[in-house]
Amino acid sequence: MRRPIFAANWKLHKNRGEAAAYVRELLPRVAGMDGVEIVLAPPFTALDAVATALAGSAVALAAQNVHPAASGAFTGEVAPGMLADLGCRFAIVGHSERRALFGETDAGVASKAAALLAAGLRPIVCIGETLEQRDADQTFDVLRTQLAGSLAGLPRNRARDLVLAYEPVWAIGTGRSATPEMAQEAHAFVRECLVAQFGEAGAEIQIQYGGSVKPENAAALMAQPDIDGALVGGAGLEAESFSKIIHFEAQEGSS
Ligand code: PEP
């Protein structure tokens, strides 16, 4: 049985005070929600403040990136063990913004994911096609290639520690979500690939949908059999809207 997992990716937003205020607002809204995993991914500079504010709660902390080395001459980078030391249990790797703006490759994502697993953290591995690729009917080919490269060499016995995030690039930050049917079709394909690589453990890997998830469309997306939660950008910046997504609160006039 896969537990739904909801992660708010704050990207380059919030200083320490704003981050702590968000946590104070979120925690009462999600109290007692034991059936779901809730994850906050602040910028590196707010990780410590969020860890402190989350102390004693079941909400988990994530980084938005990591360097695969444990230590060394890598100016500006942060190692998996440093994230663990701050209380991180997850890190996002391969977000489309990092792939598009910072040259992140599938092989680089795989080495980050392996390093996170070795340090006891769970990688949230992002994949997804661009609009041009979807329009050219290349979605499944793109997903197959990204999965093969981004998960290459990861140990089968750690498959259950992985989280996948299917995020069609054209739906990120655009207000234009995939329809539940489109998302389910992609998730079912990702699931097939995961089972092919990891055997029956692949069926237990949580697959999040990401791309303009909001309170109005969360319920319909989460009703799909292979959608196990969401990676949320814009609507994750407010505790109120993020908690509504976690509660799957379909709003009147939902799309
Ligand atoms: C994201 O950046 O991962 C994302 C899904 O953003 P948004 O929810 O704003 O589309």
Side-chain angles (χ1 to χ4, degrees):
M1 188 62 189
R2 300 184 301 266
R3 275 172 96 198
I5 177 165
F6 295 88
N9 172 15
W10 291 355
K11 308 188 185 185
L12 189 53
H13 295 284
K14 297 194 191 294
N15 60 28
R16 291 174 302 157
E18 292 162 342
Y22 178 111
V23 174
R24 281 196 298 275
E25 194 185 334
L26 180 73
L27 290 184
R29 293 174 184 272
V30 298
M33 294 196 70
D34 301 331
V36 298
E37 289 186 81
I38 303 171
V39 182
L40 297 180
F44 286 125
T45 46
L47 282 171
D48 203 20
V50 174
T52 302
L54 287 177
S57 92
V59 176
L61 187 63
Q64 298 175 19
N65 188 24
V66 68
H67 191 279
S71 62
F74 301 105
T75 302
E77 296 294 327
V78 176
M82 296 169 177
L83 298 179
D85 182 52
L86 279 168
C88 288
R89 306 220 309 263
F90 295 83
I92 299 169
V93 289
H95 190 280
S96 65
E97 286 152 15
R98 295 218 55 87
R99 291 177 186 264
L101 303 174
F102 302 101
E104 194 135 310
T105 62
D106 289 332
V109 174
S111 68
K112 291 179 178 191
L116 287 166
L117 290 172
L121 281 86
R122 299 182 62 193
I124 299 176
V125 179
C126 303
I127 53 168
E129 80 287 358
T130 64
L131 190 56
E132 294 68 33
Q133 291 164 334
R134 176 161 283 267
D135 287 346
D137 267 338
Q138 293 168 349
T139 298
F140 286 176
D141 289 340
V142 169
L143 296 179
R144 189 186 292 109
T145 303
Q146 288 182 338
L147 282 167
S150 303
L151 305 179
L154 298 186
R156 192 180 261 238
N157 66 355
R158 301 296 305 282
R160 289 176 183 83
D161 290 326
L162 295 171
V163 178
L164 263 289
Y166 167 64
E167 300 204 296
V169 177
W170 47 271
I172 296 179
T174 59
R176 180 182 163 197
S177 170
T179 65
E181 295 72 27
M182 283 161 80
Q184 167 57 26
E185 184 186 40
H187 280 233
F189 178 76
V190 171
R191 169 104 33 235
E192 261 175 47
C193 295
L194 293 174
V195 171
Q197 177 167 351
F198 295 111
E200 58 187 40
E204 292 175 37
I205 296 175
Q206 294 150 306
I207 309 175
Q208 299 175 309
Y209 168 78
S212 298
V213 176
K214 26 186 197 258
E216 294 80 0
N217 60 18
L221 286 160
M222 297 313 133
Q224 300 300 315
D226 286 293
I227 299 184
D228 308 315
L231 181 54
V232 187
L237 286 173
E238 300 293 333
E240 183 182 5
S241 51
F242 186 46
S243 65
K244 281 185 176 167
I245 289 169
I246 297 166
H247 284 274
F248 307 170
E249 284 179 20
Q251 306 293 297
E252 213 174 317
S254 65
S255 51

